[in-house]
Each structure stands twice: as C-alpha cells, then as structure tokens.
Amino acid sequence: MSHGHGNEHRRLMGFYNAAKWSMKGECYLDIYADELNDEEEEQLRRHLEDLGIIFDVSEKGVIKGYFEGKYEKVFPIMRQLLKEGWSW
C-alpha cells in the first residue's frame, strides 16, 4: 500500500504491537525488498544487518525480514528507512 512516495521495490510491510507486546513496550516492523541485483542485495543485506534485522528465508534478489524490540529501537529504524526512500 504505497502512497506514491518512495521506492516501490523497498517496502515497510507492517508494524505490529499486539496487546501482549505493547504491555512490554515491544513491537516489530516487517520489511520487503525485491528486484535487487547481486550488488544491491549484498549492500542492502549488510546495511540491514547493521540495523539489527532478523532475516526470513527468501529467493535470490529478494530480502524479507523484520526488526523486533522496544519502541525506542524500532521507531528510529522505521524513520531511517523512510528517509532512505522505503515506501509504506
């Protein structure tokens, strides 16, 4: 669900803070990127690893994963990815 902003191939897919997590101040953010060439995929994987992503298994040229933790950890990552052109 893009609103015409950002890169259609790099998307923030969902933000979750179910009641049982929010009681502890925890949440998680799903991300998805596709149509990546080898160099883009390698660079993006390194960048997301530095931010603390937990990768899901995905095919070549696709990155799926999520960030999990306290709001203080996840919100700055969300803001940074939006500034980098990820779409919502």
Side-chain angles (χ1 to χ4, degrees):
M1 163 164 41
S2 172
H3 301 288
H5 303 292
N7 185 329
E8 291 296 318
H9 298 286
R10 295 182 183 191
R11 296 183 298 279
L12 306 179
M13 300 298 291
F15 174 76
Y16 306 97
N17 65 339
K20 67 178 182 175
W21 299 335
S22 62
M23 296 291 268
K24 299 183 211 168
E26 294 179 359
C27 58
Y28 83 82
L29 173 68
D30 281 333
I31 63 112
Y32 180 86
D34 63 6
E35 295 189 18
L36 301 167
N37 66 36
D38 289 346
E39 185 178 334
E40 289 172 324
E41 183 177 356
E42 183 181 329
Q43 288 176 348
L44 188 54
R45 279 188 184 277
R46 278 198 310 263
H47 176 53
L48 294 171
E49 280 177 351
D50 289 346
L51 294 175
I53 192 171
I54 300 166
F55 288 109
D56 292 331
V57 175
S58 61
E59 59 273 14
K60 191 162 182 53
V62 173
I63 293 176
K64 294 189 293 186
Y66 60 96
F67 295 94
E68 180 177 40
K70 301 279 186 194
Y71 296 127
E72 307 85 59
K73 174 188 173 190
V74 177
F75 283 174
I77 293 169
M78 184 188 313
R79 279 193 296 273
Q80 180 175 343
L81 293 176
L82 288 169
K83 284 180 186 175
E84 291 173 5
W86 288 67
S87 57
W88 193 231

